[in-house]
Amino acid sequence: MAALVGAIGLLPWLSRTDPALTVLKARSADRDPTPETLRAIRDQLGLDDGPPALLGRWLGGLLHGDAGTSWVSGGQVLPGVVQALGASLLLMSGALVVAAGTVAAVCARTLRLGSRGRLAARGPGGTASAVLAALPEFLVASVLASVIGVQLGWLPALGWYGPQWMVLPSLALGLPAGAILGRMLDDLLPGAFAEPWALAAAARGVPPRSVARQAVRRCVPGLLPNLGLFVVGLTGGSVAVEQIFDIPGLGRLTLQAALAQDLPVLQTGTLALVLVAALAGVLARLSARLLIGPALRDGALHSLHRPGPTAPRALPLLYGALLAAVIGFGLPRDALALDTLARLRAPSLAHPFGTDALGRDVLARVSHGALTTLGIALAVSAAALVAGLLLGLLPRLSGPLVDTVAAVPPVLAGLLVAGIAGSGPWTPAFAVGVVAWSPLAAHTSSLLRQERATTHLAATRALGAGRWYLLWHELLPAVLSPVARHALLRLPGIALSLAALGFLGLGAQPPSPEWGLLLAENQPYAERAPWAVLFPAAVLALLGALAVTAAGGVRLPRRRKRPESPAGPPGKRVMPPRRQRSSPDALLAPVPTSVSTSPAEER
């Protein structure tokens, strides 16, 4: 936390810009930056004293309950941050309600079949949740605001004045988050229904509703760390949604302070996010321990991640073929060719996805942007998976680090990376990669904690297995598959984070066909030319469906039993066949002579 706050305090000097000029532009954009005016601002803010003196004064006042005054507005910082935090927490609570309903809808089919012992009849699914999880939050917010708020007039679209103004932004934030959490819970439920307690409950006639409720209770502890990260992300990471709906939340306040280099507001807002993240992490760990109970301490759990059958490959192949066809069909087209006479044309044979406001072919721009967006998203996902696994295996080290990193919104990370490394095509990748590993590390630590308390691990340890054997042959195989599936589920989210940075102007710059910039450029024309936004969003949804269906195939293979010869392996004693309990006449049946192969064995 100290390193994070210190890096924020160095932001004006790391970005190699004059903080006095930035503050002057934020105060009054029409005022001329004369040397006298800049000198007056430096003297007023004490910029000539350097970053250590400014940080020391801010920390000294913070110990006495004073976070200083804003460099732009001149008002007290702490009351404004507290008010913005209250609005963000209220929005977060509404989004969590929507996310809980979405999770229930995603897992309803598995709960119904599993509680009745008919999971074998469950076919491949999850396409709807995959599409929902892949939709960008800012795109959902724009559609809800324009259609429901403006055209239909059912709910207010702008402002923050009461409960009615919470509905649309809560839907925009809660639907994608609930779809991801629902997919993760749906991945754990089959293992819970296969445990001995569930089989015994079904045999004794326990109502299916009670079995389903206990199965959810069994799986929720593995999701609580990621739920805590979602809480933090919904509190400070909903910058785009707050911008669209004009919500005075903490994410928007932090973004405006970062762009204006208003250090007191930026440092106080980031500190509030870190404290919220630490509190959410502690509550998640305590709740997990309370839900599992003494079984975690006594090593009496069963593994939820057992070898399972290979998932059907038809759906991922179908979605992959569709995505490859879209990209391949648009690559021969020119993504930068302008045709002012063909502005905002509807889809046709010449332009299957229509044209944008400058007459450029949308299909060509989507295809060319896929090369950079998907390539960067795959690279960031692979790096996040490796870092999440390695750091998740060290929970005492990664726990506080995850809580701190999760509190940094990708927008703020983008500004810090841009300030240090400069703006460029890889700046959004570094910014997203800084925070993308934390959910995977939290998931790894949670699964590792439960896997270490399983009965089969205690039995393996009692047989003399060492630490490295347990790590490589028991713990890592049990953790690797679900975390890899989680990483695939996060792949569309990483692409969306890159798109969100482009949407906010922190990623690629025109005329690049990057997907986030593409959506940002076409959003003002969504009512007149909806195809310019819907087709790029459909490709994003197709990517999400491909990632979710492909994640279902990342499972441990079943161990095949090797057929043994009747005589058994050499050097080992062959046990006689176990007699089955049946009728008394079966005891008089002759023993098959094909069991032995030599006279010595017969004797």
Side-chain angles (χ1 to χ4, degrees):
M1 184 170 60
L4 178 61
V5 174
I8 292 174
L10 293 174
L11 180 61
W13 290 268
L14 292 175
S15 59
R16 294 174 293 275
T17 58
D18 188 1
L21 180 60
T22 306
V23 171
L24 177 62
K25 290 181 178 179
R27 289 179 176 178
S28 178
D30 299 333
R31 191 174 180 182
D32 294 332
T34 60
E36 294 78 10
T37 304
L38 297 179
R39 172 59 61 184
I41 293 177
R42 291 191 187 95
D43 294 339
Q44 177 187 0
L45 303 179
L47 297 178
D48 294 334
D49 297 337
L54 293 174
L55 184 60
R57 286 198 294 267
W58 177 76
L59 289 175
L62 192 64
L63 295 176
H64 297 86
D66 182 14
T69 58
S70 172
W71 287 1
V72 176
S73 64
Q76 292 293 321
V77 172
L78 196 57
V81 171
V82 171
Q83 184 178 1
L85 179 61
S88 295
L89 291 178
L90 189 61
L91 176 61
M92 177 265 294
S93 59
L96 285 181
V97 173
V98 176
T102 307
V103 170
V106 171
C107 301
R109 184 165 172 262
T110 303
L111 288 173
R112 185 179 66 257
L113 295 177
S115 60
R116 290 169 172 80
R118 294 185 298 175
L119 273 181
R122 188 184 65 160
T127 304
S129 61
V131 171
L132 190 59
L135 291 178
E137 296 173 352
F138 59 85
L139 181 60
V140 177
S142 301
V143 172
L144 292 177
S146 60
V147 175
I148 298 180
V150 177
Q151 294 183 1
L152 300 178
W154 292 350
L155 292 169
L158 295 176
W160 190 253
Y161 305 104
Q164 293 182 350
W165 281 262
M166 286 181 54
V167 178
L168 295 182
S170 298
L171 288 173
L173 290 174
L175 289 176
I180 296 178
L181 287 175
R183 293 298 307 176
M184 294 175 63
L185 179 60
D186 192 72
D187 184 48
L188 294 175
L189 285 174
F193 284 121
E195 289 186 342
W197 68 265
L199 301 177
R204 293 184 62 87
V206 177
R209 182 176 299 179
S210 300
V211 177
R213 184 171 60 251
Q214 293 302 323
V216 172
R217 183 179 183 273
R218 172 69 179 88
C219 298
V220 162
L223 300 179
L224 282 176
N226 280 277
L227 181 60
L229 296 182
F230 271 106
V231 168
V232 178
L234 293 176
T235 304
S238 55
V239 180
V241 176
E242 292 178 356
Q243 287 279 86
I244 292 173
F245 289 102
D246 194 22
I247 300 174
L250 189 58
R252 184 185 177 191
L253 179 66
T254 305
L255 174 62
Q256 293 175 351
L259 294 176
Q261 295 185 358
D262 193 352
L263 292 188
V265 178
L266 182 58
Q267 289 171 337
T268 308
T270 306
L271 184 62
L273 288 176
V274 172
L275 294 178
V276 170
L279 180 61
V282 171
L283 291 178
R285 295 184 184 95
L286 290 178
S287 301
R289 291 183 178 274
L290 291 176
L291 285 175
I292 296 177
L296 185 65
R297 182 188 67 247
D298 300 337
L301 293 177
H302 291 269
S303 179
L304 292 176
H305 305 281
R306 299 178 180 179
T310 304
R313 300 178 180 178
L315 284 179
L317 290 178
L318 176 61
Y319 296 139
L322 288 176
L323 185 60
V326 170
I327 297 175
F329 191 66
L331 282 179
R333 300 168 178 264
D334 190 358
L336 302 179
L338 301 178
D339 187 2
T340 55
L341 298 179
R343 297 176 64 250
L344 300 177
R345 290 282 181 88
S348 61
L349 292 178
H351 304 285
F353 283 6
T355 60
D356 62 3
L358 298 178
R360 296 173 295 189
D361 189 78
V362 176
L363 175 60
R365 295 185 63 78
V366 169
S367 300
H368 286 269
L371 297 179
T372 56
T373 304
L374 294 183
I376 295 176
L378 286 173
V380 173
S381 299
L385 175 60
V386 174
L389 280 173
L390 293 179
L391 291 175
L393 294 176
L394 304 172
R396 294 184 180 179
L397 172 65
S398 62
L401 191 60
V402 166
D403 294 339
T404 305
V405 171
V408 182
V411 176
L412 180 57
L415 291 174
L416 291 175
V417 172
I420 298 174
S423 60
W426 287 96
T427 299
F430 284 116
V432 175
V434 167
V435 297
W437 61 269
S438 56
L440 302 178
H443 194 192
T444 303
S445 300
S446 177
L447 296 179
L448 183 67
R449 187 181 302 112
Q450 296 193 44
E451 198 67 26
R452 291 174 62 183
T454 54
T455 54
H456 78 274
L457 193 73
T460 307
R461 187 185 295 110
L463 292 175
R467 292 184 177 180
W468 288 106
Y469 181 89
L470 294 176
L471 177 63
W472 289 106
H473 294 84
E474 300 293 339
L475 295 177
L476 197 57
V479 170
L480 182 59
S481 295
V483 176
R485 294 195 295 270
H486 185 189
L488 277 177
L489 293 177
R490 291 277 178 179
L491 176 61
I494 290 177
L496 297 183
S497 298
L498 297 172
L501 290 176
F503 177 80
L504 294 173
L506 299 176
Q509 300 300 320
S512 172
E514 196 268 336
W515 284 358
L517 183 61
L518 186 64
L519 291 171
E521 291 175 344
N522 295 328
Q523 186 199 358
Y525 309 98
E527 296 182 6
R528 180 180 175 185
W531 54 84
V533 176
L534 293 180
F535 280 112
V539 177
L540 273 173
L542 186 61
L543 172 63
L546 173 62
V548 170
T549 53
V554 182
R555 296 185 181 276
L556 291 174
R558 289 182 179 270
R559 294 183 179 180
R560 296 182 178 178
K561 296 182 179 180
R562 295 181 178 179
E564 296 182 358
S565 61
K572 291 187 178 180
R573 182 182 178 183
V574 179
M575 300 299 294
R578 182 177 298 176
R579 295 181 178 177
Q580 298 179 354
R581 295 182 180 179
S582 57
S583 62
D585 294 337
L587 299 176
L588 301 177
V591 179
T593 58
S594 60
V595 175
S596 59
T597 59
S598 65
E601 289 176 351
E602 289 181 359
R603 288 194 297 270

